[in-house]
Amino acid sequence: MQDDLSPFFRTELLLGKEKMNKIQKSHIAVFGIGGVGSFATEAIVRCGVQNIDIFDGDIVDITNINRQIMADIKTIGQKKTEVMKERIKLINPNANVNAEYCFFDKENKDNYDFSKYDYIVDAIDTVTSKILLIEKANQENVNIISCMGTGNKLCPEKLEVSDIYKTSVCPLARVMRKELKKRNIKNLKVVYSKEKPSYVPVQDKENPNAKRVNASISFVPSVAGLIIAGEVIKEISKIESGE
């Protein structure tokens, strides 16, 4: 490969210069840099997006290694946002990355200007924060795509893109439908799975009332993240279905 070629040369061959320019100039926000969000972020950046803000208040844990793209033995204990920022800059040194070490909640939701974003990715785990994020995006008329539950699932082929009110099976989607309806939010693009969650036994036998930990595997959250990235890139570059 010639040294003067762009890292995104092959993407431009596929999409053309005009669409590539739209992608590069867009500004994307990703909330939640976990199994879904980390893969969505990296795929978005590898498509050529140069302006990206990432939000997460967690650090890399050894139990993240099975499904989060930035998690490995060397990054354990580091802020997820900082590790992800470093990965982004290695992919595209020209990228403008704002890495916010925080959990999005009612205390800080008004600190952020959503009007600058072309698209927002909701990969947050907590229902209350997801609803706050979706409400704010809706109020400011910013495109958002939200991921439903990917824990306790084994079949990536059962993931679908849909409106929240057309979802089924997914327990998180059921809760979200109810809460969004209360708030008169009439539509929301989501990625969700039609697979019934696998049963996960209580891990602490001495304390059966202990909080159940969601099981996970490498190839379900990652695929959800890649599907989300695809939806974001196709929409901001105006790629028509089947084009």
Side-chain angles (χ1 to χ4, degrees), residues 9-22:
F9 168 71
R10 291 177 185 267
T11 307
E12 187 174 316
L13 280 179
L14 181 65
L15 302 181
K17 188 174 289 292
E18 183 179 348
K19 288 182 173 61
M20 196 68 208
N21 285 338
K22 287 181 180 178

Side-chain angles (χ1 to χ4, degrees), residues 130-221:
K130 291 179 86 69
I131 292 168
L132 284 170
L133 182 64
I134 293 161
E135 277 189 304
K136 187 173 173 68
N138 190 261
Q139 289 164 2
E140 300 197 24
N141 199 29
V142 180
N143 289 324
I144 184 168
I145 185 168
S146 180
C147 190
M148 299 295 102
T150 61
N152 307 326
K153 308 285 177 70
L154 281 168
C155 301
E157 69 275 12
K158 293 187 178 180
L159 289 161
E160 293 186 5
V161 179
S162 180
D163 184 82
I164 185 65
Y165 294 109
K166 295 179 181 179
T167 58
S168 59
V169 181
C170 176
L172 176 56
R174 182 171 61 249
V175 173
M176 293 296 291
R177 286 196 305 270
K178 181 179 177 181
E179 293 301 322
L180 294 177
K181 189 174 183 179
K182 287 180 186 176
R183 292 160 175 81
N184 200 32
I185 294 175
K186 299 185 182 301
N187 53 71
L188 172 69
K189 179 178 279 194
V190 300
V191 172
Y192 82 106
S193 174
K194 282 192 171 180
E195 178 186 2
K196 291 183 179 179
S198 300
Y199 171 72
V200 181
V202 175
Q203 294 180 330
D204 187 348
K205 293 181 180 179
E206 294 182 0
N207 183 11
N209 294 319
K211 183 180 178 181
R212 181 177 292 178
V213 177
N214 282 332
S216 62
I217 201 163
S218 64
F219 49 75
V220 177

Side-chain angles (χ1 to χ4, degrees), residues 33 38 41-42 54 56 58-61 68-72 74-91 97 99 101:
I33 310 298
S38 63
T41 299
E42 182 145 330
I54 54 177
D56 200 296
D58 208 355
I59 61 171
V60 178
D61 181 83
Q68 299 184 13
I69 201 167
M70 73 295 176
D72 57 39
K74 289 184 179 179
T75 60
I76 290 173
Q78 298 181 40
K79 295 176 182 177
K80 290 182 181 180
T81 47
E82 291 303 318
V83 177
M84 201 70 223
K85 180 177 180 178
E86 188 174 334
R87 283 185 68 90
I88 292 168
K89 298 296 281 186
L90 288 171
I91 295 165
V97 189
Y101 180 63

Side-chain angles (χ1 to χ4, degrees), residues 102-124:
C102 70
F103 290 113
F104 185 82
D105 58 24
K106 64 181 180 180
E107 302 299 327
N108 60 27
K109 68 182 181 69
D110 294 325
N111 295 346
Y112 305 110
D113 175 17
F114 277 22
S115 65
K116 63 185 176 182
Y117 298 130
D118 296 287
Y119 224 107
I120 293 170
V121 172
D122 162 32
I124 300 174

